Amino acid sequence: VSSGFGIDNLPYGAVAEPGGPARLAVRFGDDAVLLEPYEQAAELPPGTLAGPVLNPLLALGRPAWSRLRAALTNAIETGLHEVVPLAELEPRLPVAVGDYVDFYSSLEHATNLGRMFRPDAEPLLPNWRHLPVGYHGRASSVVVSGTPIRRPRGQLPPPEPGQHPRFGPTQRLDIELELGFVTGPGNPLGTPIPAAEAADHVFGFVLVNDWSARDIQRWEYVPLGPFLGKSFATSISPWIVPLEALKPHRVPARPQDPEPLGYLRTAGDWALDIDLEVELNGKTVSRTNAKDLYWTFPQQLAHATVNGTNVRPGDLYASGTISGAERGTQGSLIELYEGSRFLEDGDTVVLRGGSGDRISFGEVTGTIAPP
Amino acid sequence: VSSGFGIDNLPYGAVAEPGGPARLAVRFGDDAVLLEPYEQAAELPPGTLAGPVLNPLLALGRPAWSRLRAALTNAIETGLHEVVPLAELEPRLPVAVGDYVDFYSSLEHATNLGRMFRPDAEPLLPNWRHLPVGYHGRASSVVVSGTPIRRPRGQLPPPEPGQHPRFGPTQRLDIELELGFVTGPGNPLGTPIPAAEAADHVFGFVLVNDWSARDIQRWEYVPLGPFLGKSFATSISPWIVPLEALKPHRVPARPQDPEPLGYLRTAGDWALDIDLEVELNGKTVSRTNAKDLYWTFPQQLAHATVNGTNVRPGDLYASGTISGAERGTQGSLIELYEGSRFLEDGDTVVLRGGSGDRISFGEVTGTIAPP
């Protein structure tokens, strides 16, 4: 089987014959194992696995997820599973995304961007080490890997302060290498998810490319945050790697200073040792790892719900750009090339992730189409 | 019939017997006229009006909306309609909200808030007169009028710069009086909605109370915008007033200086002459009008999609707080009371809107529950 898509992984997705309806599956090697025949063995309510999206399965929670994973593992190990070659299928968006939240949890990325966007101030704002800064992105334009990315038009900053903005296609089209989690059952409005329970609400992880138009973003983002500079498209990898499969790849998170407030404290190892890389037109331009993110995913979910807002099955929470401190470990072009290289029409970006030969996230790809 | 809910209005909503399933209806006086019997007369696809939400109707677009309105008007005028008294029903959320966007389109509000949040700088930022500033809010916590609002907890600003934040219930719980539009068919990803076509994608309007925790917001909002200070709840009025019913209440918008870029220019009268009021514990504390908003709703939708992002049926776009220049015409407590009065547990806020005795938006109410 393809490296990283063996019995230890079994990530979930949706696939279709070209033009056909989406069917739910796990990936095993270079094949899809369709889920629907396992509904009864996993004791799931009828229709849970009928597709086209995983949301009904996500709503059931971890005991149901574990039963299904056990049923699939058993069938595959005993060779009783039927497969469809992925070569005959196309990936579809595996979840209907309710709300999409994007964090900003890499210390190195926040420092780098702060320096570029606010050159005359402290790069890291006073709140950054106290809470996982985040904002709501657009859910409608979350697309599956392979979807072409049309260069957005919009208002570009005035050439000089006080002058008028210009209108046109972005000249500073960028990527953001991120990891995102997809939620399970969620909580009723008014009842926060404690950090200690956050992992029970996390079904699994995908790679995220949070495409960004830096010029549009720079002009529009004060005071209410990014809007059109981000909302034109966000690509995710087709296969959701279950948190259960990531257990051997959890490691201690980096120290936090100052110690966060009580609702953000967790016990256990919640950083993810996932190697990541960015490929631009066939050439690897960045290699990094998710384990150095400052804020962990249970902290992110505990923070995002501390005011009582409700999470629904299929929400997407992305980490923010994952950047290391060294040259060649940053997750965006603006950091890698310090503003001298952005995406041209026809450029293809591939993000990859995995851990040795046990876990692969596959890839999320996108090619820039003209405006 | 109740003033403002006569034959000229016929707003759409969802109602249910207590504990029962939601059914779609228009409001006529103090009664609900259920929609499902009119599916055939309006030549709608079977199931369009089966509920529990209006989204399938929204997806069909204006010709279908006009046929349904004509069928309802005809039945009511000829007295052939059957009614259920609203006293026997409870309102439900009338749409499944895909994406929720909140603008910041009142010049007076943006100036007032800028002065309070950034006392040492120009209150209006350089981009404000060039584009309708907006951001994505949380869709999951959009609730229907009457839903209790639990006081959120969260990180409150450090007492002095450089100190640590505190944790606790917000001490500065506020309202924002807004008008929001609900979208119809929408556009495919990659294809902006031109300003001249924007109104065809607008089904109708509701009152919006964008509850805000000013202390949480103030600490968290740099650099990515409001998040937990807003995401705990957003209340909307139960009845969506169709744009068709608002035609006689459209008036010229206020002049814009400088003239906006081409994609934001519109012909026709797109301001809405809607009187609005805020009632706090039974006492009217603010009266204003929506017609003085700086940015119009076609401009808002044209801007929000100029980068090609896709609108779906049932998206909600709110205006931002509607404030006038005079004392007693502001749409938030922080403006009305300059920080000396916020919401206490048990306080009840009612927003109302309408135009003479022809159009009523009814009300959106909320009572503060303890944390």
Side-chain angles (χ1 to χ4, degrees), chain B residues 158-240:
Chain B
E160 300 287 338
Q163 294 183 337
H164 286 199
R166 296 156 299 147
F167 181 82
T170 175
Q171 303 299 310
R172 294 166 78 86
L173 184 56
D174 201 353
I175 60 162
E176 295 201 334
L177 165 68
E178 310 194 10
L179 212 53
F181 63 85
V182 174
T183 53
N187 55 318
L189 188 63
T191 309
I193 297 177
E197 292 169 23
D200 291 338
H201 293 272
V202 174
F203 176 71
F205 284 80
V206 289
L207 299 169
V208 178
N209 189 343
D210 177 32
W211 305 94
S212 299
R214 300 293 179 197
D215 37 12
I216 295 172
Q217 181 186 353
R218 186 181 193 122
W219 171 237
E220 74 175 358
Y221 92 105
V222 282
L224 300 183
F227 186 39
L228 295 170
K230 302 275 196 173
S231 65
F232 57 96
T234 305
S235 301
I236 67 171
S237 53
W239 299 101
I240 306 175

Side-chain angles (χ1 to χ4, degrees), chain A residues 99 127 130 135-136 138-140 155 165 189 219 222 224-225 228 231-232 263 303-304 307 309-310 312 315 317, chain B residues 99 127 130 135-136 138-140 155 165 189 219 222 224-225 228 231-232 263 303-304 307 309-310 312 315 317:
Chain A
D99 279 289
N127 56 16
H130 293 284
Y135 69 102
H136 286 95
R138 188 162 187 88
S140 72
Q155 291 201 19
L189 188 63
W219 171 236
V222 282
L224 300 184
L228 295 170
S231 66
F232 56 95
Y263 78 95
H303 180 65
N307 68 351
T309 199
N310 52 325
R312 295 177 292 184
D315 285 355
Y317 292 79
Chain B
D99 279 289
N127 57 16
H130 293 284
Y135 70 102
H136 285 96
R138 189 162 186 89
S140 72
Q155 290 201 20
L189 188 63
W219 171 237
V222 282
L224 300 183
L228 295 170
S231 65
F232 57 96
Y263 77 95
H303 180 66
N307 68 351
T309 199
N310 52 325
R312 296 176 291 184
D315 285 356
Y317 292 79

Side-chain angles (χ1 to χ4, degrees), chain B residues 1-23:
Chain B
V1 298
S2 260
S3 178
F5 288 109
I7 196 76
D8 294 325
N9 192 350
L10 300 183
Y12 290 85
V15 289
E17 289 169 21
R23 294 191 291 173

